[in-house]
Amino acid sequence: MKRCPSCSRTYTDLSLNFCLEDGTPLVSDEAPGSDPHATIRYPPIRDTDPPPTAIYNSEPPLLNQVAPLPQPRQWTPAPVPRKKSSALWWVLGGVGVLVVLGLGLFVMLLVLASLGGNTNTNANTELTNRNTNSNANTNVNTNTSSTRGSLVDDFSDRKWGTGSYQYGDIWYSNDAYHMRSKENTYLVMYAPSNEYNTANATVRVTTRSVDGKPPASGYGLIVHGERVGGNQLRDYALLIYSGTEPQYQIVRHKDGQQTAIVPWTRSRVIRSGTSPNQLEVRTKGSELSFYINGQYINRIVDNQNIRSGVAGLYTSDVVEVAFDDLQIVR
């Protein structure tokens, strides 16, 4: 029996290495002399040769242009006329007082009119500045969304490669992507463009065995896929075996070799037969976390500097499998 030191949950399945609730490594509570289940081994497998990956460049964003603001008008006061001397002092004095009062009232009206004009100009200037800032923020958000947005491929558009190859067959059927390998080999297909890049992203795909018979060497989801010198594969893959005793495996392809990072491990979260399973890999820098049907199963740290590349699909043996609803969330 095994026990989770974090939540104290116990498991009778001796092949489990991590808690299904929180992912904590399990500790053994077995009585002395008990024997764990043996690990199932599978025949060696060979490399594949699917078509190369194409890379597309995005268009540069448009720059926002802002028109210059209008300048406010200047106001100049009218000159005051000189008073004339006259024998009729009192009469002219009274007229002068009336003239001064009239000019004062006129000047006051002009000042009020000028203040109203400046207020309108400032209001227009503030409104223009607000519009300018709004446009600038819109452009920034649009560019960010286009470079870090989600990608969904339900395989209704035939973007991925198809055909009969040396190591198997690939085709579309019923808005799903189907693959079937040759006997004792495996078949890999990378995504058609760099839009499917998996660096610092959550990658999901739904997969199933069409006739209920699982490929003996597994099938599943690839992240950080890239072809390097000599057309060699370089990636990480989460594979499942959906037979009567479901298991998963995490492998790495590099230098023409497939290496098991996590060996075949039994898991109750994998559905058997023709039932679909959702595979998920979350990548963040050098860390890769793995989930099946929404349940955490394992985590590894990349020490081979394989931290970028595209999504891909994997199958083995002569069993037909189907893939659907690929999602990449950044």
Side-chain angles (χ1 to χ4, degrees):
M1 179 179 297
K2 290 187 176 182
R3 176 176 57 85
C4 175
S6 177
C7 66
S8 298
R9 180 179 294 273
T10 60
Y11 298 88
T12 59
D13 189 345
L14 300 181
S15 64
L16 290 176
N17 295 322
F18 297 88
C19 179
L20 299 179
E21 293 297 322
D22 55 15
T24 302
L26 299 178
V27 296
S28 176
D29 282 342
E30 293 180 345
S34 60
D35 293 328
H37 293 286
T39 301
I40 298 177
R41 302 182 65 182
Y42 295 96
I45 43 187
R46 300 195 298 271
D47 198 1
T48 61
D49 189 19
T53 300
I55 300 177
Y56 299 92
N57 295 325
S58 59
E59 296 182 356
L62 296 176
L63 297 177
N64 182 53
Q65 295 183 354
V66 181
L69 301 179
Q71 297 296 326
R73 295 181 180 180
Q74 295 181 351
W75 173 78
T76 304
V80 179
R82 297 179 180 179
K83 294 187 293 182
K84 298 181 180 179
S85 59
S86 173
L88 302 176
W89 173 257
W90 294 103
V91 175
L92 294 180
V95 173
V97 170
L98 292 176
V99 171
V100 170
L101 292 176
L103 288 176
L105 180 61
F106 178 72
V107 170
M108 182 180 297
L109 293 175
L110 289 180
V111 169
L112 292 176
S114 174
L115 291 176
N118 289 337
T119 301
N120 293 334
T121 301
N122 292 334
N124 293 333
T125 301
E126 181 179 359
L127 179 60
T128 304
N129 289 334
R130 288 179 180 176
N131 291 336
T132 302
N133 293 333
S134 175
N135 292 334
N137 292 334
T138 301
N139 288 337
V140 171
N141 292 335
T142 301
N143 293 337
T144 302
S145 176
S146 65
T147 57
R148 296 189 57 81
S150 301
L151 181 146
V152 177
D153 190 345
D154 60 2
F155 295 99
S156 58
D157 294 333
R158 303 192 173 191
K159 302 177 182 179
W160 294 57
T162 59
S164 296
Y165 302 97
Q166 178 183 358
Y167 296 102
D169 304 313
I170 306 176
W171 69 99
Y172 281 89
S173 178
N174 298 323
D175 291 334
Y177 197 61
H178 291 244
M179 299 176 65
R180 179 174 52 227
S181 178
K182 301 292 184 181
E183 188 175 3
N184 296 326
T185 66
Y186 64 84
L187 181 63
V188 167
M189 178 59 75
Y190 285 167
S193 74
N194 201 44
E195 290 179 304
Y196 295 79
N197 196 285
T198 58
N200 297 317
T202 296
V203 187
R204 304 185 187 97
V205 74
T206 301
T207 184
R208 64 183 177 89
S209 170
V210 174
D211 59 5
K213 298 178 181 179
S217 297
Y219 59 106
L221 173 64
I222 289 174
V223 296
H224 298 351
E226 183 182 11
R227 294 183 178 277
V228 294
N231 205 29
Q232 299 292 340
L233 305 177
R234 186 170 67 178
D235 58 57
Y236 287 100
L238 170 60
L239 308 180
I240 61 172
Y241 171 78
S242 55
T244 55
E245 294 183 352
Q247 304 176 60
Y248 73 88
Q249 184 185 40
I250 299 173
V251 303
R252 179 183 65 225
H253 294 118
K254 186 178 181 183
D255 299 329
Q257 299 293 327
Q258 176 171 293
T259 304
I261 307 302
V262 176
W264 286 108
T265 305
R266 292 182 183 179
S267 176
R268 297 177 181 177
V269 302
I270 301 174
R271 305 184 183 112
S272 301
T274 60
S275 299
N277 288 278
Q278 186 187 67
L279 309 183
E280 178 178 330
V281 183
R282 301 179 185 179
T283 69
K284 185 177 181 181
S286 62
E287 295 185 358
L288 295 90
S289 301
F290 300 87
Y291 297 76
I292 299 178
N293 295 321
Q295 298 293 319
Y296 170 84
I297 58 167
N298 217 319
R299 182 183 73 91
I300 65 172
V301 176
D302 167 50
N303 57 6
Q304 301 292 319
N305 198 29
I306 305 176
R307 303 181 184 181
S308 180
V310 298
L313 307 173
Y314 177 111
T315 191
S316 61
D317 303 311
V318 295
V319 177
E320 178 184 349
V321 297
F323 297 90
D324 204 357
D325 297 327
L326 174 67
Q327 303 176 26
I328 303 177
V329 182
R330 301 180 180 89

